[in-house]
Amino acid sequence: MSPAIALAFLPLVVTLLVRYRHYFRLLVGTVLLRSLRDCLSGLRIEERAFSYVLTHALPGDPGHILTTLDHWSSHCEYLSHMGPVKGQILMRLVEEKAPACVLELGTYCGYSTLLIAQALPPGGRLLTVERDPRTAAVAEKLIRLAGFDEHMVELIVGSSEEVIPCLRTQYQLSQADLVLLIHRPRYYLRDLQLLEAHALLPAGGTVLADHVLFPGAPRFLQYAKSCGRYRCRLYHTGLPDFPAIKDGIAQLTYAGPG
């Protein structure tokens, strides 16, 4: 390409970089820099975050542990976690619904798990599912560091597709009053339909789904709005540390099999 042609494209490139600068920063932080740090340290990001928590957070204080994770994500490495804004929505809904049993699909580092556990009513139970054993090991340590035992918060290692059909027989979960989908948006619709097929959603039960706008779960939203079995509400938010990137949490209220 000649210098003249390259120069002609320069204004377009600059315009795109300015318009999509937040996405560019996110790409650099979550892919390029994270991969480099993984290679240099031999640790994954959630393992590095847990090491920071061990030296800066108060054991037995889930609120302080969450604040420490937020600080680490804002000032050290972007963690791709739920964050405080969405976290307040989640905690408010858990407190409002007072579910006897919550099912979380996608434990990741345990951030949203601690949010739910803090807000559970007395005697409440949380089952959280994480498919990656190495990530699950970090989350397990974080949950126990926060002071929640396995009777209150049980972590299941396995894919949601394999775990959901076994919840009633292996984990004594008859129904989940509240479900949080926070794993991979492309699996949301599949897993919602699995929950329906195995009668794990009670009438009036709540399903919360994160990241429905970014990266997005259009088929899931279309199904929830068109099947006639859910009342839908969307909470508009931004990504933690990237508020200009618009995202949202969907709240579905199950009306029953109809």
Side-chain angles (χ1 to χ4, degrees):
M1 181 183 294
S2 70
I5 295 176
L7 190 61
F9 277 98
L10 184 60
L12 175 61
V13 172
V14 172
T15 300
L16 291 174
L17 285 175
V18 171
R19 178 174 298 179
Y20 298 106
R21 63 190 182 280
H22 306 292
Y23 297 91
F24 180 73
R25 283 181 53 228
L26 181 64
L27 174 67
V28 171
T30 59
V31 178
L32 302 179
L33 291 179
R34 183 177 297 180
S35 298
L36 178 62
R37 286 166 175 150
D38 288 353
C39 292
L40 292 176
S41 68
L43 300 173
R44 292 183 179 179
I45 184 170
E46 59 269 19
E47 294 169 328
R48 296 193 294 274
F50 182 70
S51 295
Y52 184 85
V53 166
L54 280 178
T55 56
H56 292 80
L58 297 174
D61 187 338
H64 193 260
I65 291 172
L66 290 167
T67 301
T68 303
L69 286 171
D70 289 330
H71 184 273
W72 189 83
S73 181
S74 298
H75 295 86
C76 302
E77 298 180 56
Y78 180 63
L79 189 56
S80 305
H81 64 318
M82 176 172 271
V85 175
K86 292 180 179 180
Q88 287 299 314
I89 296 172
L90 174 61
M91 285 189 65
R92 178 174 57 80
L93 288 171
V94 174
E95 290 169 352
E96 176 186 305
K97 303 297 181 183
C101 190
V102 177
L103 173 65
E104 178 186 37
L105 301 181
T107 316
Y108 185 42
C109 66
Y111 184 95
S112 54
T113 311
L114 296 192
L115 287 168
I116 296 169
Q118 280 192 114
L120 280 177
R125 181 186 181 207
L126 168 58
L127 294 177
T128 181
V129 181
E130 172 56 48
R131 68 175 299 146
D132 184 88
R134 189 169 169 182
T135 301
V138 174
E140 181 86 44
K141 289 185 285 188
L142 190 83
I143 293 164
R144 306 309 167 213
L145 182 71
F148 300 112
D149 62 29
E150 60 186 11
H151 299 292
M152 183 177 182
V153 181
E154 182 174 358
L155 195 156
I156 303 167
V157 181
S159 71
S160 55
E161 185 178 22
E162 296 172 345
V163 170
I164 290 172
C166 303
L167 286 172
R168 180 170 282 108
T169 56
Q170 292 189 24
Y171 301 98
Q172 293 73 55
L173 175 66
S174 57
Q175 289 185 318
D177 303 303
L178 188 146
V179 177
L180 175 62
L181 306 177
I182 195 170
H183 48 327
R184 296 186 179 183
R186 67 175 179 268
Y187 297 145
Y188 286 2
L189 177 56
R190 179 200 70 189
D191 289 347
L192 182 66
Q193 292 174 332
L194 276 174
L195 291 167
E196 293 174 350
H198 291 275
L200 291 168
L201 297 176
T206 301
V207 177
L208 300 176
D210 195 10
H211 301 305
V212 293
L213 299 183
F214 183 86
R219 292 176 59 245
F220 168 82
L221 289 177
Q222 181 181 17
Y223 173 81
K225 292 175 180 178
S226 63
C227 72
R229 291 188 288 276
Y230 297 95
R231 297 196 313 272
C232 303
R233 179 177 180 181
L234 184 61
Y235 298 90
H236 291 272
T237 67
L239 290 186
D241 304 319
F242 295 90
I245 299 179
K246 302 306 178 185
D247 195 11
I249 296 178
Q251 177 186 351
L252 313 182
T253 303
Y254 186 53

